[in-house]
Amino acid sequence: MGKQNVIEVENLTKSFGDFTAVDSISFEVKQGEIFGFLGANGAGKTTAMKMLIGISKPTSGNASVAGFDVYHHTEDIKKNIGYMSQKFALYDDLTVKENITFFGGIYGLSRPIIKEKTIELIEELNLGDVANQLVGSLPLGWKQKISFSVALLHNPKVIFLDEPTGGVDPITRRQFWEMIYKTANEGTTVFVTTHYMDESEYCDRVSIMVDGKIEALDTPKNLKSQFNVSNMNDVFLKLARG
Amino acid sequence: MGIQVQHISKSFKNVQALSDISFDVKNGELFGLIGPDGAGKTTLFRILTTLLIANEGSATVAAFDVINNYKDIRKNVGYMPSKFSLYQDLTVEENLSFFATIFGTTVEENYELIKDIYIQIEPFKGRRAKDLSGGMKQKLALCCALIHKPKVLFLDEPTTGVDPVSRKEFWEMLKRLQQKGITMLVSTPYMDEAALCDRIALIQDGKILQIDTPQEIVKHYPKTIFNVQADNMYQLIIYLKEFEYQYSVYPFGEFVHYSDHRNGFEINELKAYLETKGLKNVIIQKTAATIEDTFMELAK
Amino acid sequence: MKRFLGFIKKEFYHIFRDKRSLFILFGMPVVQILLFGFAITNEINNVDIAILDHSKDVATKEIINKISASKYFSVQLVVNEAAIEKAFQKGKIKAVINFEKNFNEKLVRENKAIVQVITDATEPNTANTIVGYTNAILQNYLHEINKDKIAPYLISTESHMIYNQELKSVFMFVPGVMTIILMLVSAIMTSISITREKELGTMEILLVSPLKPFQVIVGKVVPYILLSMINATVIILLSIFIFGVPVRGSLFLLGFESMLFILSALALGILISTISDSQQTAMMISMMGLMLPTILLSGFIFPITSMPLPLQVISNIIPAKWFVIILKGIMLKGVGIGFLWKETIILCGMTLFFVGLSIKKYKIRLE
């Protein structure tokens, strides 16, 4: 009766030589859920995420994303997910429209659909005046919102967000999260990594990775009462300091 | 003494990075410059450390003018730029030695000042800076900035990108340093760190929104804030925004911070409204305004 | 297919919107073709030669006229025996054409006379060409006067290569290659050193310190002096023992001049460093702006005198040109500072100029 799992991970492991970056992690993410994947730098989050988006092969264990296996069907996975990272999202020397057209083409959308989506996106984000401006000239907050929308052009089942809100002002950050809420409400699953602990509170459930293992996995509310603290930052501190 | 900034403005090509910035930092104060990326924090730091010249206005650091007496400032301040520039291929020891030497002193001379910080990275003193974790780099960069016993310390986003445990430890170290009489100007995008400063300046888009102590600054928020919770966060936000008397609606973790236009406003009225819209488990409670609420209000 | 085309379209956007890639695509080839086209030449033009005329008779005057009139040669002086050695050492002339006594008489009576061509073979190709062209002029003269003769006259040429009797091209190459290697290694190394600090962000902390600009600049040059001198020594040893290139002059002078040249190259590198924002730019300028002109215009492969005037003028500002002269002078001609003082002073001046300009251009602020 419940929603189906869009991501299923079982004992997923990734080792580099004798260093184990991801140590037998297991979890599931339901459709329409906002799942927060937290952990300090070097804890293994990025490595784990790379396996889920199909660009890194696991050493052992199983995982499936949008129903496709991460070992054998990475191409299908890539077709059915969206990806946005803080480090790279859009081409600074292309205009907003050119970026949309390019990524739409990469996702295999037909020209009429790309046209339609372009108009939709520009209207929704109020970019009428800057549609033909180079993305590099836009403020960081706008770039983030545009790249989020671009990652959703092909209506993927899951969208992976890698540290999406670094550095922007609090208002823009919240506007971005409102976009995430809307997307989740429409049925897209959102898998987000962040090191802003206060943002983890927006998630339905969070997992915290420490040294390659998942040390906590629950709703923010439950974690806070479990560790007897009032915010997620303190949950993390308690976990990290042991 | 300390730092004095008067009507500083700075623009690059056609971007106005700073507009009419004025504030001062008293001797021995721990002053926080709070704002997001692009607010102008780094530009301001570079002007005060004499790396850039402002288009308008004047400033003094430790009573030296930033333009005319830049050489004196460069001898007497400690500067930790964002992404803490260290020599990646030198070891911890070598980095510290180098900075001591170019300031004409030795590591031993001012060791007392950095002792508490250095013992945490001393076990790794033979390790190259590029192989250190974020938290350790941070500590090393702080030591290098302090090794010549500067009068004023400039720390530009020292905690960005560093794990929460190291962040907390770093601020504890700053508090201890303050007791040794060093004036400190720290910039950070983290609002929770603002609470640890003596006084803070909120900055956005090159303009200062407000300057005060952390405790006083939240009093600048003009309304009462309520934590509102319901079973569907997305719908809650939408309905609250549609509510005709809403003044501000912002998600804050598991709650939404809501404030109303009217002065005397009845919680039950709002609750009833939300329940008619179909939301369940509606909880509304008064709460204190945070620095972040104040920031967003002033930035509007 | 559509994805593929979409991707290609994007790549075009990137290329056309990046000024630097446009320059590489279109600007550089044009510059290079012009440079190569004009500089690379095996012909000789206006080579400075001298004439030694022991006969001063009808025949020699006629031949000398032809030589002066030709565009290949520029007759500098009409010397006497004693001055030949010095003239070669000073580099004023590249060849001496020597007519024996009683030239015309010998032609008339014995049907045979000898012309001796003494050439500076430190540029073996040029030396050969000079002999060849001289021969051509002589044959031309003979052709004219032999028209109505039953028994034709004969002029034979004796060629005498000095400094490099076996015409070993390695004698030409080694000084040149040494120059290029030292120039490139020194300049590239220092050109990225300041820009690296800028890129890594450590420049900021160096600036906010009591360090003075000249301390930074000189401090960055000093380590490389030592290393480059080791380089130079290795090259010289290899040349001597493997290729048999002689060092006929003073080793001490050779060492001193090498160090001077290294300094000028290091200073040039530092100058590039102060004006470049990124290591990539610095390396590009070093390679394109230094390597190409150094190879083409230093005169070690292609004689400078054969190039069009603008290029000859430009070659004067290339430190390598002066060092090649110095190297050849010391190694192959065996001359001392007395003959090379001019080139030495020029190198000193260039070095000081580069260092001074670097200190001036060194930004004490970030803007």
Side-chain angles (χ1 to χ4, degrees):
Chain A
M1 260 302 284
K3 301 214 183 101
Q4 51 166 179
N5 287 334
V6 168
I7 302 179
E8 283 181 344
V9 177
E10 199 186 330
N11 297 329
L12 197 63
T13 304
K14 179 74 181 176
S15 311
F16 299 99
D18 38 286
F19 169 63
T20 310
V22 178
D23 194 351
S24 197
I25 60 174
S26 305
F27 62 92
E28 308 111 16
V29 181
K30 296 192 186 2
Q31 192 202 348
E33 208 179 351
I34 302 178
F35 190 83
F37 202 59
L38 315 173
N41 292 336
K45 334 192 275 296
T46 316
T47 314
M49 200 162 92
K50 282 189 185 163
M51 288 190 275
L52 295 178
I53 60 177
I55 61 175
S56 168
K57 199 161 168 184
T59 310
S60 68
N62 294 315
S64 73
V65 174
F68 296 105
D69 169 62
V70 300
Y71 285 98
H72 303 115
H73 296 122
T74 53
E75 290 310 309
D76 291 305
I77 291 181
K78 289 175 193 168
K79 287 191 188 132
N80 283 286
I81 63 170
Y83 175 70
M84 178 200 154
S85 129
Q86 186 201 7
K87 288 164 236 145
F88 168 73
L90 303 167
Y91 287 104
D92 277 344
D93 56 345
L94 297 184
T95 67
V96 175
K97 272 196 180 150
E98 283 163 358
N99 265 289
I100 300 175
T101 310
F102 172 70
F103 284 103
I106 294 289
Y107 293 139
L109 301 179
S110 70
R111 237 194 253 173
I113 297 203
I114 294 182
K115 250 195 177 144
E116 194 187 303
K117 293 264 177 191
T118 309
I119 299 176
E120 229 177 82
L121 213 158
I122 291 184
E123 213 182 282
E124 204 178 301
L125 294 179
N126 224 343
L127 298 169
D129 298 328
V130 299
N132 291 315
Q133 256 184 25
L134 296 184
V135 163
S137 66
L138 301 177
L140 185 58
W142 295 29
K143 281 192 217 180
Q144 285 183 348
K145 291 188 207 164
I146 299 172
S147 49
F148 181 68
S149 306
V150 163
L152 291 169
L153 276 178
H154 56 306
N155 292 330
K157 293 210 179 80
V158 189
I159 179 166
F160 288 86
L161 305 174
D162 189 4
E163 310 266 358
T165 59
V168 288
D169 65 275
I171 298 184
T172 307
R173 209 140 36 96
R174 282 171 175 74
Q175 289 170 341
F176 188 79
W177 273 94
E178 287 177 29
M179 285 175 78
I180 295 181
Y181 279 138
K182 177 158 184 276
T183 307
N185 203 59
E186 289 166 357
T188 311
T189 310
V190 180
F191 187 95
V192 54
T193 70
T194 176
H195 64 267
Y196 281 100
M197 287 302 150
D198 60 334
E199 285 188 346
S200 61
E201 312 241 12
Y202 296 136
C203 303
D204 293 322
R205 280 188 308 145
V206 300
S207 76
I208 303 183
M209 270 186 88
V210 181
D211 290 332
K213 290 192 168 64
I214 292 186
E215 298 288 351
L217 176 59
D218 212 333
T219 67
K221 200 167 179 179
N222 290 347
L223 286 174
K224 281 186 284 190
S225 71
Q226 180 189 340
F227 287 93
N228 210 2
V229 291
S230 61
N231 61 62
M232 283 299 294
N233 201 45
D234 291 339
V235 167
F236 189 89
L237 287 175
K238 280 217 164 164
L239 260 182
R241 279 187 172 162
Chain B
M1 271 295 167
I3 305 173
Q4 291 191 332
V5 183
Q6 308 226 344
H7 304 291
I8 291 273
S9 294
K10 177 71 181 171
S11 58
F12 298 104
K13 290 189 190 173
N14 44 6
V15 178
Q16 189 74 23
L18 293 172
S19 304
D20 199 25
I21 305 279
S22 301
F23 67 96
D24 45 60
V25 177
K26 305 190 200 352
N27 223 356
E29 203 175 10
L30 174 52
F31 193 95
L33 195 60
I34 321 290
D37 277 6
K41 308 189 294 291
T42 301
T43 309
L44 182 57
F45 268 64
R46 286 180 173 162
I47 291 178
L48 294 176
T49 52
T50 75
L51 290 173
L52 289 176
I53 297 188
N55 297 120
E56 284 165 42
S58 62
T60 64
V61 174
F64 295 115
D65 180 77
V66 295
I67 299 185
N68 299 325
N69 303 114
Y70 72 92
K71 288 188 190 165
D72 293 302
I73 294 183
R74 291 182 182 188
K75 288 188 193 138
N76 285 295
V77 305
Y79 177 44
M80 193 170 140
S82 54
K83 297 179 192 101
F84 7 102
S85 317
L86 296 166
Y87 285 102
Q88 302 290 329
D89 48 353
L90 297 184
T91 66
V92 168
E93 265 188 304
E94 287 163 355
N95 264 291
L96 195 57
S97 245
F98 172 72
F99 286 108
T101 316
I102 59 170
F103 277 96
T105 179
T106 61
V107 176
E108 292 75 33
E109 202 173 307
N110 296 311
Y111 190 67
E112 268 311 302
L113 197 55
I114 62 166
K115 197 164 97 172
D116 303 330
I117 311 166
Y118 192 65
I119 28 178
Q120 297 179 51
I121 51 176
E122 203 172 6
F124 307 99
K125 65 181 178 184
R127 198 183 280 193
R128 301 210 187 164
K130 65 174 189 248
D131 296 324
L132 295 174
S133 70
M136 287 197 272
K137 279 191 191 157
Q138 193 197 37
K139 294 180 177 93
L140 176 58
L142 184 57
C143 290
C144 291
L146 284 171
I147 195 62
H148 57 291
K149 199 159 185 188
K151 297 200 176 88
V152 182
L153 193 57
F154 289 93
L155 308 168
D156 192 4
E157 299 213 21
T159 53
T160 299
V162 172
D163 66 277
V165 175
S166 299
R167 278 209 285 133
K168 195 163 196 283
E169 289 176 348
F170 190 81
W171 278 90
E172 287 164 5
M173 290 188 280
L174 289 186
K175 284 305 226 185
R176 288 198 292 267
L177 275 175
Q178 200 187 0
Q179 288 162 16
K180 302 196 179 164
I182 303 185
T183 309
M184 290 182 274
L185 179 59
V186 185
S187 71
T188 175
Y190 296 107
M191 306 270 158
D192 57 327
E193 290 178 358
L196 303 167
C197 302
D198 293 335
R199 282 190 308 144
I200 57 178
L202 302 180
I203 181 171
Q204 161 115 311
D205 290 330
K207 297 194 181 69
I208 292 203
L209 305 173
Q210 191 65 239
I211 304 176
D212 216 325
T213 66
Q215 298 76 21
E216 290 296 311
I217 216 162
V218 293
K219 296 188 182 160
H220 286 274
Y221 194 84
K223 307 268 175 215
T224 317
I225 298 192
F226 294 86
N227 272 338
V228 184
Q229 206 179 27
D231 57 340
N232 185 319
M233 174 61 91
Y234 177 59
Q235 309 281 16
L236 177 60
I237 296 175
I238 296 198
Y239 298 139
L240 280 174
K241 285 190 174 177
E242 286 172 357
F243 192 60
E244 67 179 304
Y245 300 111
Q246 62 96 348
Y247 179 77
S248 72
V249 176
Y250 288 121
F252 259 80
E254 48 176 332
F255 303 110
V256 175
H257 276 197
Y258 170 83
S259 63
D260 197 281
H261 250 125
R262 309 162 288 180
N263 272 332
F265 127 82
E266 277 295 328
I267 294 182
N268 290 322
E269 179 193 346
L270 187 60
K271 190 161 183 216
Y273 161 77
L274 292 171
E275 281 170 346
T276 48
K277 287 287 182 180
L279 289 172
K280 306 217 176 0
N281 302 328
V282 177
I283 303 177
I284 307 180
Q285 274 173 334
K286 196 158 119 173
T287 184
T290 63
I291 297 181
E292 198 160 3
D293 290 298
T294 316
F295 187 97
M296 293 194 291
E297 171 65 20
L298 293 168
K300 262 201 272 200
Chain C
M1 187 58 189
K2 212 186 315 190
R3 288 181 207 201
F4 181 64
L5 288 177
F7 192 81
I8 295 184
K9 194 166 157 198
K10 166 188 94 81
E11 290 302 311
F12 271 111
Y13 283 138
H14 287 319
I15 293 174
F16 285 122
R17 288 180 188 174
D18 178 12
K19 289 205 180 77
R20 194 162 49 187
S21 62
L22 282 178
F23 173 69
I24 295 180
L25 269 181
F26 299 114
M28 259 183 31
V30 172
V31 169
Q32 286 189 351
I33 255 283
L34 286 177
L35 210 55
F36 274 98
F38 281 121
I40 299 181
T41 168
N42 279 322
E43 296 169 355
I44 55 169
N45 283 314
N46 291 319
V47 173
D48 293 330
I49 63 165
I51 311 270
L52 195 54
D53 188 352
H54 289 112
S55 301
K56 293 199 173 54
D57 54 35
V58 175
T60 60
K61 280 216 170 77
E62 180 68 31
I63 298 175
I64 291 172
N65 269 339
K66 281 201 189 302
I67 293 177
S68 306
S70 101
K71 62 173 181 156
Y72 305 128
F73 299 120
S74 169
V75 179
Q76 279 308 306
L77 345 131
V78 181
V79 299
N80 53 43
E81 210 87 45
I84 292 185
E85 181 73 29
K86 231 186 181 164
F88 273 123
Q89 282 180 337
K90 278 204 177 138
K92 281 199 166 43
I93 52 172
K94 291 274 184 285
V96 170
I97 301 184
N98 186 1
F99 296 97
E100 55 173 344
K101 274 200 217 139
N102 304 320
F103 192 80
N104 200 30
E105 250 184 79
K106 288 208 167 131
L107 271 184
V108 170
R109 295 236 178 98
E110 300 163 32
N111 282 9
K112 205 167 76 151
I114 300 178
V115 171
Q116 192 191 43
V117 184
I118 309 171
T119 45
D120 176 347
T122 57
E123 284 174 33
N125 290 337
T126 311
N128 268 329
T129 316
I130 290 176
V131 173
Y133 282 4
T134 311
N135 254 331
I137 295 179
L138 291 172
Q139 294 313 315
N140 176 269
Y141 169 73
L142 282 178
H143 184 74
E144 277 176 17
I145 58 169
N146 279 336
K147 269 202 194 113
D148 41 355
K149 301 227 178 351
I150 311 158
Y153 292 163
L154 220 59
I155 303 181
S156 64
T157 41
E158 257 177 29
S159 67
H160 182 45
M161 305 292 183
I162 56 170
Y163 302 133
N164 183 2
Q165 256 150 326
E166 293 145 54
L167 282 181
K168 284 196 184 158
S169 56
V170 74
F171 279 34
M172 176 176 90
F173 281 126
V174 163
V177 170
M178 181 162 148
T179 312
I180 297 200
I181 293 177
L182 288 181
M183 161 70 92
L184 274 187
V185 169
S186 310
I188 291 180
M189 285 288 103
T190 44
S191 76
I192 59 175
S193 79
I194 290 190
T195 38
R196 185 167 43 206
E197 303 250 15
K198 288 187 212 173
E199 268 183 25
L200 292 177
T202 46
M203 189 52 126
E204 280 189 64
I205 18 180
L206 281 188
L207 286 174
V208 186
S209 80
L211 276 179
K212 300 191 180 62
F214 92 85
Q215 285 175 315
V216 173
I217 289 179
V218 174
K220 283 188 175 291
V221 165
V222 166
Y224 291 109
I225 298 181
L226 192 55
L227 299 174
S228 289
M229 275 310 284
I230 296 180
N231 233 342
T233 312
V234 169
I235 296 177
I236 295 179
L237 288 175
L238 285 175
S239 323
I240 298 178
F241 291 114
I242 300 202
F243 295 110
V245 180
V247 179
R248 297 182 177 130
S250 147
L251 267 177
F252 176 74
L253 185 61
L254 184 59
F256 167 75
E257 297 280 359
S258 301
M259 181 129 106
L260 182 55
F261 178 66
I262 288 170
L263 267 175
S264 75
L266 293 174
L268 197 47
I270 289 278
L271 182 58
I272 295 175
S273 213
T274 54
I275 59 176
S276 313
D277 285 320
S278 71
Q279 290 184 75
Q280 239 188 10
T281 313
M283 289 208 67
M284 279 251 299
I285 297 181
S286 308
M287 303 229 91
M288 293 299 128
L290 288 186
M291 178 160 84
L292 215 52
T294 303
I295 295 180
L296 293 180
L297 301 178
S298 61
F300 95 89
I301 307 183
F302 309 112
I304 298 178
T305 46
S306 306
M307 298 178 194
L309 195 55
L311 286 182
Q312 288 192 36
V313 171
I314 296 176
S315 78
N316 286 326
I317 61 170
I318 297 175
K321 170 197 166 149
W322 305 105
F323 188 57
V324 165
I325 297 178
I326 293 177
L327 270 187
K328 283 187 180 171
I330 301 179
M331 291 174 87
L332 304 176
K333 295 185 188 174
V335 298
I337 191 80
F339 289 95
L340 296 172
W341 61 268
K342 183 177 123 194
E343 289 80 6
T344 309
I345 299 232
I346 292 180
L347 271 187
C348 276
M350 283 185 171
T351 308
L352 287 172
F353 177 69
F354 294 142
V355 172
L357 198 55
S358 305
I359 296 182
K360 192 147 177 274
K361 286 244 154 223
Y362 182 84
K363 293 195 201 147
I364 54 165
R365 294 200 164 87
L366 289 181
E367 248 184 342

